[in-house]
Amino acid sequence: MATATTHGARAHARAQQGARADAMPFVPASSWPTPPCEAGHLVWAETVAGGNYTHRVLARGTELRLTDLGGDACAHLLLFVADRPWERLNVADTVKVQWNAYLGEGRLLLSDQGRVLASVIADTSGRHDALCGTSALAWNTRRYGDGTPQSGSPAGRELFKLAAAKNGLAPRDLPPSLSFFQGVEVRDDGSVDFTGSAGPGASVTLRAEQDVTVLLANVPHPADPRDAYTSTPLEVLAWRGEATRSGDPLWEATPEGHRAFLNTTEFLAARGIA
C-alpha cells in the first residue's frame, strides 16, 4: 500500500498539491477566479459543503457575502467580538430592539451590550430566520438517525462546537444562532411555517462593525420538513471595506439603530479604534 510507510505517505500527500475539490478554501483568497471587489482586497474565499462548517476572524469594516449556490444551503451564523468573546451575537436583542423578527437589508446584528456586531447591507434572498436556531444532536439523531459531526447528517450545534474550539471557545459559549437562506413565518397562533429558500444564487452581504469572530455551519434548517438531509454548497467571500459611519443611511434609519451605532462608536473610541 503506497501510504503504508512514512515515505510513501509523504509522497502521496505531496502528489495532492494543486488538486482542488468543489468545496474548500482558496489560499490565498486572491486566487479566487471572480473576485467581487478590487484586486488584492479579498481576504476570505471558500465554498462550504453541505453538512460542513467554517470560521474566520474578520476586521472591522470587512464585507462578508454569503451565497446559496444550489438553493438548499442554510447558513447558520454566530458572531463574537474577536478579542472579547463574552460579547457575542444576541438574537433576542437583535429582534426586540429593532421591533422586527425578520432579517433583511438594513437590519443590524446586535450584541447583548447594545452594540452593533454587523449590519446587513444587501439581500437578494429574503428567506432567513431569527427564531428557530440551528439543529442539535438529539434532534438530528431522531430525525436522520445520526447527528454527530462525522456522520452524513451532522447537527449544526455539533459543528459549531468544532468551530468554537478552534477559536478558544467552549460549548457553553454558544448562544442561539441566526440562519440565512431558509426562512420561516410566524402564524397567528405563534407556530411557524417553513418557507424554504429563494432558489439558487441568492445572497446576503454583511458588514462587520467591530472585529468579529465568525462561525458558520451549513446544515438543514431544523424546520425543514423533508425526510432527507438536504444541504447544498455555500459560497463565502469577504473583502476589506469601511465600517458604517455617522451620516450613512443605515446609521440614521431608525432611532434604535442610531443608538446602537452610538454605543458602538463610543466604546471603540475609548479604545482608540474609531
Side-chain angles (χ1 to χ4, degrees), residues 3-4 25 30 32 34 39 41 50 58 66 82 84 105 111-112 120 125 151 172 193 203 210 250 256 269 271:
T3 58
S30 58
W32 184 263
T34 54
H41 283 207
L58 297 180
L66 309 174
R84 304 174 62 257
E105 185 174 342
S111 77
D112 59 358
V120 182
S125 171
S151 71
R172 64 179 293 178
D193 277 326
S203 67
Q210 301 190 53
L250 190 60
E256 297 81 14
R271 305 186 69 195

mmCIF file of all heavy atoms in Angstrom, residues 3-4 25 30 32 34 39 41 50 58 66 82 84 105 111-112 120 125 151 172 193 203 210 250 256 269 271:
data_model
loop_
_atom_site.group_PDB
_atom_site.id
_atom_site.type_symbol
_atom_site.label_atom_id
_atom_site.label_comp_id
_atom_site.label_asym_id
_atom_site.label_seq_id
_atom_site.Cartn_x
_atom_site.Cartn_y
_atom_site.Cartn_z
ATOM 1 N N THR A 3 0.701 4.187 1.062
ATOM 2 C CA THR A 3 0.810 5.012 2.268
ATOM 3 C C THR A 3 1.170 4.192 3.512
ATOM 4 O O THR A 3 1.058 4.673 4.631
ATOM 5 C CB THR A 3 -0.519 5.750 2.516
ATOM 6 O OG1 THR A 3 -1.575 4.793 2.638
ATOM 7 C CG2 THR A 3 -0.830 6.704 1.381
ATOM 8 N N ALA A 4 1.606 2.966 3.339
ATOM 9 C CA ALA A 4 1.928 2.110 4.483
ATOM 10 C C ALA A 4 3.222 2.511 5.171
ATOM 11 O O ALA A 4 3.467 2.118 6.303
ATOM 12 C CB ALA A 4 2.005 0.653 4.033
ATOM 13 N N PRO A 25 -11.401 25.945 0.862
ATOM 14 C CA PRO A 25 -10.933 27.341 0.823
ATOM 15 C C PRO A 25 -9.971 27.580 -0.335
ATOM 16 O O PRO A 25 -9.272 26.661 -0.781
ATOM 17 C CB PRO A 25 -10.208 27.511 2.169
ATOM 18 C CG PRO A 25 -10.603 26.344 2.990
ATOM 19 C CD PRO A 25 -10.917 25.239 2.048
ATOM 20 N N SER A 30 -6.860 35.697 -2.801
ATOM 21 C CA SER A 30 -6.720 36.436 -4.059
ATOM 22 C C SER A 30 -6.714 35.526 -5.280
ATOM 23 O O SER A 30 -6.852 35.997 -6.410
ATOM 24 C CB SER A 30 -5.435 37.273 -4.037
ATOM 25 O OG SER A 30 -4.300 36.446 -3.825
ATOM 26 N N TRP A 32 -9.024 33.446 -5.924
ATOM 27 C CA TRP A 32 -10.425 33.251 -6.330
ATOM 28 C C TRP A 32 -10.612 33.817 -7.730
ATOM 29 O O TRP A 32 -10.224 34.952 -8.007
ATOM 30 C CB TRP A 32 -11.345 33.932 -5.332
ATOM 31 C CG TRP A 32 -12.810 33.720 -5.582
ATOM 32 C CD1 TRP A 32 -13.665 34.564 -6.235
ATOM 33 C CD2 TRP A 32 -13.584 32.591 -5.190
ATOM 34 N NE1 TRP A 32 -14.927 34.032 -6.264
ATOM 35 C CE2 TRP A 32 -14.914 32.818 -5.629
ATOM 36 C CE3 TRP A 32 -13.294 31.410 -4.500
ATOM 37 C CZ2 TRP A 32 -15.945 31.910 -5.403
ATOM 38 C CZ3 TRP A 32 -14.324 30.500 -4.275
ATOM 39 C CH2 TRP A 32 -15.630 30.749 -4.728
ATOM 40 N N THR A 34 -13.123 34.959 -9.606
ATOM 41 C CA THR A 34 -14.012 36.090 -9.928
ATOM 42 C C THR A 34 -14.258 36.932 -8.676
ATOM 43 O O THR A 34 -15.359 36.900 -8.109
ATOM 44 C CB THR A 34 -15.344 35.586 -10.495
ATOM 45 O OG1 THR A 34 -15.923 34.640 -9.565
ATOM 46 C CG2 THR A 34 -15.143 34.916 -11.848
ATOM 47 N N ALA A 39 -8.886 44.330 -6.844
ATOM 48 C CA ALA A 39 -7.821 43.335 -6.783
ATOM 49 C C ALA A 39 -7.032 43.489 -5.493
ATOM 50 O O ALA A 39 -6.698 44.597 -5.077
ATOM 51 C CB ALA A 39 -6.889 43.490 -7.989
ATOM 52 N N HIS A 41 -8.083 42.914 -2.461
ATOM 53 C CA HIS A 41 -8.884 43.225 -1.275
ATOM 54 C C HIS A 41 -9.586 42.003 -0.690
ATOM 55 O O HIS A 41 -10.093 42.059 0.426
ATOM 56 C CB HIS A 41 -9.920 44.302 -1.595
ATOM 57 C CG HIS A 41 -9.331 45.673 -1.662
ATOM 58 N ND1 HIS A 41 -10.069 46.810 -1.387
ATOM 59 C CD2 HIS A 41 -8.079 46.114 -1.969
ATOM 60 C CE1 HIS A 41 -9.299 47.877 -1.531
ATOM 61 N NE2 HIS A 41 -8.092 47.473 -1.876
ATOM 62 N N GLY A 50 -22.377 21.164 1.985
ATOM 63 C CA GLY A 50 -23.493 20.884 2.860
ATOM 64 C C GLY A 50 -23.063 19.938 3.964
ATOM 65 O O GLY A 50 -22.340 18.972 3.731
ATOM 66 N N LEU A 58 -12.611 38.418 11.281
ATOM 67 C CA LEU A 58 -12.687 39.479 10.285
ATOM 68 C C LEU A 58 -12.514 40.840 10.944
ATOM 69 O O LEU A 58 -13.057 41.094 12.019
ATOM 70 C CB LEU A 58 -14.033 39.447 9.548
ATOM 71 C CG LEU A 58 -14.332 38.192 8.728
ATOM 72 C CD1 LEU A 58 -15.705 38.327 8.077
ATOM 73 C CD2 LEU A 58 -13.263 37.947 7.671
ATOM 74 N N LEU A 66 -22.454 35.924 1.615
ATOM 75 C CA LEU A 66 -22.819 34.511 1.604
ATOM 76 C C LEU A 66 -23.757 34.276 0.428
ATOM 77 O O LEU A 66 -24.698 35.043 0.232
ATOM 78 C CB LEU A 66 -23.510 34.131 2.911
ATOM 79 C CG LEU A 66 -22.784 34.516 4.211
ATOM 80 C CD1 LEU A 66 -23.665 34.201 5.416
ATOM 81 C CD2 LEU A 66 -21.447 33.818 4.308
ATOM 82 N N ALA A 82 -13.974 39.824 18.529
ATOM 83 C CA ALA A 82 -12.792 38.992 18.339
ATOM 84 C C ALA A 82 -11.923 38.850 19.584
ATOM 85 O O ALA A 82 -11.462 37.761 19.906
ATOM 86 C CB ALA A 82 -11.969 39.527 17.174
ATOM 87 N N ARG A 84 -12.912 39.869 22.689
ATOM 88 C CA ARG A 84 -13.778 39.895 23.869
ATOM 89 C C ARG A 84 -14.954 38.954 23.630
ATOM 90 O O ARG A 84 -16.091 39.378 23.481
ATOM 91 C CB ARG A 84 -14.291 41.313 24.139
ATOM 92 C CG ARG A 84 -13.205 42.361 24.304
ATOM 93 C CD ARG A 84 -13.768 43.783 24.424
ATOM 94 N NE ARG A 84 -14.611 43.941 25.595
ATOM 95 C CZ ARG A 84 -15.942 43.977 25.562
ATOM 96 N NH1 ARG A 84 -16.580 43.870 24.399
ATOM 97 N NH2 ARG A 84 -16.629 44.137 26.672
ATOM 98 N N GLU A 105 -32.117 43.356 4.410
ATOM 99 C CA GLU A 105 -31.278 44.538 4.198
ATOM 100 C C GLU A 105 -31.681 45.656 5.152
ATOM 101 O O GLU A 105 -32.864 45.953 5.329
ATOM 102 C CB GLU A 105 -31.396 45.005 2.751
ATOM 103 C CG GLU A 105 -30.476 46.154 2.409
ATOM 104 C CD GLU A 105 -30.494 46.506 0.933
ATOM 105 O OE1 GLU A 105 -30.944 45.658 0.128
ATOM 106 O OE2 GLU A 105 -30.069 47.623 0.585
ATOM 107 N N SER A 111 -25.234 42.804 19.821
ATOM 108 C CA SER A 111 -24.756 42.061 20.982
ATOM 109 C C SER A 111 -25.650 42.372 22.176
ATOM 110 O O SER A 111 -26.510 43.260 22.123
ATOM 111 C CB SER A 111 -23.312 42.444 21.301
ATOM 112 O OG SER A 111 -23.261 43.703 21.957
ATOM 113 N N ASP A 112 -25.409 41.671 23.296
ATOM 114 C CA ASP A 112 -26.198 41.939 24.484
ATOM 115 C C ASP A 112 -25.731 43.190 25.215
ATOM 116 O O ASP A 112 -26.290 43.549 26.255
ATOM 117 C CB ASP A 112 -26.178 40.733 25.432
ATOM 118 C CG ASP A 112 -24.771 40.357 25.870
ATOM 119 O OD1 ASP A 112 -23.811 41.004 25.407
ATOM 120 O OD2 ASP A 112 -24.632 39.420 26.672
ATOM 121 N N VAL A 120 -26.608 44.237 7.909
ATOM 122 C CA VAL A 120 -26.984 43.592 6.640
ATOM 123 C C VAL A 120 -27.093 44.691 5.591
ATOM 124 O O VAL A 120 -27.982 45.535 5.656
ATOM 125 C CB VAL A 120 -28.314 42.835 6.778
ATOM 126 C CG1 VAL A 120 -28.658 42.139 5.469
ATOM 127 C CG2 VAL A 120 -28.255 41.832 7.926
ATOM 128 N N SER A 125 -32.224 37.386 -1.060
ATOM 129 C CA SER A 125 -32.920 36.162 -0.685
ATOM 130 C C SER A 125 -34.238 36.451 0.015
ATOM 131 O O SER A 125 -35.295 36.015 -0.436
ATOM 132 C CB SER A 125 -32.028 35.305 0.226
ATOM 133 O OG SER A 125 -32.758 34.215 0.761
ATOM 134 N N SER A 151 -20.849 12.098 10.856
ATOM 135 C CA SER A 151 -21.914 11.353 10.176
ATOM 136 C C SER A 151 -22.310 12.037 8.878
ATOM 137 O O SER A 151 -21.801 13.110 8.524
ATOM 138 C CB SER A 151 -23.136 11.245 11.088
ATOM 139 O OG SER A 151 -23.784 12.507 11.217
ATOM 140 N N ARG A 172 -20.315 26.019 26.173
ATOM 141 C CA ARG A 172 -21.093 26.960 26.978
ATOM 142 C C ARG A 172 -21.079 28.366 26.389
ATOM 143 O O ARG A 172 -21.895 29.207 26.775
ATOM 144 C CB ARG A 172 -20.547 26.998 28.412
ATOM 145 C CG ARG A 172 -19.140 27.519 28.523
ATOM 146 C CD ARG A 172 -18.649 27.567 29.973
ATOM 147 N NE ARG A 172 -19.385 28.554 30.737
ATOM 148 C CZ ARG A 172 -19.192 28.784 32.028
ATOM 149 N NH1 ARG A 172 -18.301 28.073 32.701
ATOM 150 N NH2 ARG A 172 -19.879 29.716 32.659
ATOM 151 N N ASP A 193 -44.359 28.571 9.996
ATOM 152 C CA ASP A 193 -44.398 27.917 8.689
ATOM 153 C C ASP A 193 -43.012 27.993 8.074
ATOM 154 O O ASP A 193 -42.395 29.075 8.040
ATOM 155 C CB ASP A 193 -45.386 28.623 7.752
ATOM 156 C CG ASP A 193 -46.809 28.177 7.963
ATOM 157 O OD1 ASP A 193 -47.020 26.991 8.294
ATOM 158 O OD2 ASP A 193 -47.721 29.012 7.806
ATOM 159 N N SER A 203 -28.164 35.749 -2.323
ATOM 160 C CA SER A 203 -27.022 36.111 -1.484
ATOM 161 C C SER A 203 -27.428 37.131 -0.429
ATOM 162 O O SER A 203 -28.450 37.815 -0.557
ATOM 163 C CB SER A 203 -25.880 36.685 -2.335
ATOM 164 O OG SER A 203 -26.237 37.933 -2.895
ATOM 165 N N GLN A 210 -17.454 45.681 14.092
ATOM 166 C CA GLN A 210 -16.354 45.514 15.031
ATOM 167 C C GLN A 210 -15.501 44.376 14.499
ATOM 168 O O GLN A 210 -15.912 43.666 13.575
ATOM 169 C CB GLN A 210 -16.854 45.168 16.437
ATOM 170 C CG GLN A 210 -17.777 46.183 17.074
ATOM 171 C CD GLN A 210 -18.020 45.866 18.544
ATOM 172 O OE1 GLN A 210 -17.100 45.685 19.335
ATOM 173 N NE2 GLN A 210 -19.292 45.788 18.917
ATOM 174 N N LEU A 250 -27.861 53.875 6.839
ATOM 175 C CA LEU A 250 -28.094 52.786 7.772
ATOM 176 C C LEU A 250 -27.990 53.273 9.218
ATOM 177 O O LEU A 250 -28.741 52.846 10.094
ATOM 178 C CB LEU A 250 -27.069 51.671 7.524
ATOM 179 C CG LEU A 250 -27.299 50.340 8.235
ATOM 180 C CD1 LEU A 250 -28.634 49.737 7.819
ATOM 181 C CD2 LEU A 250 -26.165 49.374 7.923
ATOM 182 N N GLU A 256 -33.582 53.299 17.164
ATOM 183 C CA GLU A 256 -32.931 52.190 17.875
ATOM 184 C C GLU A 256 -31.580 51.855 17.254
ATOM 185 O O GLU A 256 -30.587 51.624 17.965
ATOM 186 C CB GLU A 256 -33.835 50.948 17.853
ATOM 187 C CG GLU A 256 -35.148 51.119 18.570
ATOM 188 C CD GLU A 256 -36.211 51.847 17.752
ATOM 189 O OE1 GLU A 256 -36.030 51.993 16.519
ATOM 190 O OE2 GLU A 256 -37.231 52.258 18.342
ATOM 191 N N ALA A 269 -14.180 54.177 20.371
ATOM 192 C CA ALA A 269 -13.384 55.391 20.526
ATOM 193 C C ALA A 269 -12.580 55.371 21.821
ATOM 194 O O ALA A 269 -11.424 55.812 21.861
ATOM 195 C CB ALA A 269 -14.286 56.631 20.492
ATOM 196 N N ARG A 271 -11.308 52.926 23.112
ATOM 197 C CA ARG A 271 -10.193 52.003 22.904
ATOM 198 C C ARG A 271 -9.234 52.489 21.814
ATOM 199 O O ARG A 271 -8.306 51.783 21.450
ATOM 200 C CB ARG A 271 -10.729 50.608 22.545
ATOM 201 C CG ARG A 271 -11.706 50.028 23.544
ATOM 202 C CD ARG A 271 -12.077 48.614 23.198
ATOM 203 N NE ARG A 271 -10.944 47.706 23.390
ATOM 204 C CZ ARG A 271 -10.889 46.467 22.897
ATOM 205 N NH1 ARG A 271 -11.910 46.012 22.178
ATOM 206 N NH2 ARG A 271 -9.856 45.709 23.126
#
